[in-house]
Amino acid sequence: MRLFDTHAHYYDERFDEDREVVLSGLREKGVELVVCPGCDLPSSRESQALAQQYPFFYFAAGLHPENLEGATLADLEQVKALCAHPKCVAVGEIGLDYYWLKTPEERANSRDFFDAQLSLSEELDLPAIVHDRDAHKDVMDIVRSHPKARGVFHCCALSAEDAKVAAGLGWMVSFTGNVTFKNARRALEVIAAVPLERIMVETDAPYMAPEPFRGKRCDSGYVYRVCETIAQVKGLSTEEVAQATFQNGVRFFGIDTV
């Protein structure tokens, strides 16, 4: 079974003690490719360094809505420079988060950054990795204002109807280990509603460890559990879902592989 973890944060300090062991052991667990998105300039650079170290590892560069304190739109020139690296496959992680950002000023600033980074993804012809938490309407409005942009709603929290709209615009949706949780009804509805060719899988490591590992540090070795859940919803085998999502990820990120 070939697995592609399309979203994992291996620069996180929770991997400091055993990062080499974890990453070197992924192949024997069937994980052949990983994309590591940055959340600010330092983590984007750390992701780039890991991509240079491991052949199966790719990265994205961007400014996350929770990491905008002290940032200016001029910083996007540095994001642009990082995106020029041959192993940078996306602009991300970008988007909106109204769970953590409460004030009108913070939210307006995050919309400006999201809009500007989607423009950058259009300019560079790179896909965008989008974070959307409690901001669905504004996210969808900004996405619609960038018809040339393409991207993925990571850890998809859209409704089934919005997910179908996103798929119709040529966007992808991606699911983490939270689809295995008992309260995952909405995500399962989205999985049922969206064609398999618009779905990718991820761990969001070190977060979102699936059942029965919930509460533990997550890594890419758990991504098979997401495939299992999608397979149950779609009435397919886990192998079929793993193969389809692997190819979807390769195509979406423009990765050359055998």
Side-chain angles (χ1 to χ4, degrees):
M1 186 160 57
R2 306 179 76 189
L3 297 165
F4 186 171
D5 184 358
T6 61
H7 194 114
H9 300 282
Y10 279 108
Y11 53 79
D12 191 277
E13 63 184 8
R14 276 164 278 193
F15 292 106
D16 284 354
E17 292 186 2
D18 62 350
R19 185 175 291 108
E20 167 68 24
V21 172
V22 171
L23 292 177
S24 297
L26 291 182
R27 189 63 182 257
E28 66 187 38
K29 297 178 180 179
V31 181
E32 295 189 20
L33 294 170
V34 173
V35 170
C36 181
C39 288
D40 53 21
L41 291 173
S43 59
S44 294
R45 293 188 183 105
E46 291 178 73
S47 300
Q48 179 191 53
L50 288 169
Q52 291 173 162
Q53 184 177 354
Y54 297 94
F56 64 89
F57 203 99
Y58 294 81
F59 81 102
L63 303 180
H64 189 286
E66 292 177 46
N67 296 76
L68 297 178
E69 186 175 354
T72 69
L73 291 174
D75 292 333
L76 297 187
E77 285 301 314
Q78 296 182 67
V79 173
K80 183 177 180 179
L82 285 162
C83 288
H85 191 280
K87 294 198 77 177
C88 184
V89 292
V91 177
E93 178 178 349
I94 65 175
L96 301 179
D97 191 316
Y98 290 174
Y99 180 84
W100 290 110
L101 302 182
K102 300 296 188 184
T103 70
E105 294 77 14
E106 288 176 320
R107 291 181 176 184
N109 184 53
S110 69
R111 288 193 295 272
D112 289 343
F113 271 90
F114 184 32
D115 182 72
Q117 290 183 100
L118 276 185
S119 293
L120 181 62
S121 75
E122 290 176 305
E123 176 189 343
L124 300 177
D125 194 25
L126 284 175
I129 299 172
V130 171
H131 171 102
D132 167 22
R133 189 173 187 187
D134 294 351
H136 308 318
K137 182 183 183 302
D138 285 353
V139 166
M140 293 301 294
D141 285 347
I142 294 173
V143 164
R144 288 190 185 95
S145 74
H146 289 271
K148 294 182 181 178
R150 54 197 171 91
V152 56
F153 287 90
H154 116 85
C155 192
C156 181
L158 296 173
S159 68
E161 286 305 311
D162 279 343
K164 286 191 286 187
V165 170
L169 294 172
W171 281 57
M172 308 289 286
V173 293
S174 184
F175 299 96
T176 69
N178 66 358
V179 300
T180 68
F181 299 170
K182 289 182 179 180
N183 63 349
R185 179 183 58 81
R186 189 175 193 178
L188 301 184
E189 291 173 354
V190 176
I191 291 170
V194 175
L196 183 58
E197 60 266 26
R198 289 290 163 195
I199 292 175
M200 298 193 299
V201 295
E202 59 173 277
T203 58
D204 202 17
Y207 315 105
M208 298 289 186
E211 296 289 2
F213 312 104
R214 189 174 183 178
K216 296 183 178 181
R217 184 193 69 179
C218 190
D219 66 57
S220 301
Y222 294 145
V223 76
Y224 76 93
R225 288 287 293 120
V226 185
C227 292
E228 288 178 344
T229 298
I230 294 171
Q232 291 167 4
V233 174
K234 293 289 193 186
L236 301 169
S237 70
T238 302
E239 176 67 38
E240 287 173 311
V241 171
Q243 179 63 21
T245 55
F246 183 92
Q247 293 301 329
N248 291 347
V250 166
R251 183 174 61 253
F252 175 74
F253 289 114
I255 294 172
D256 292 328
T257 186
V258 294

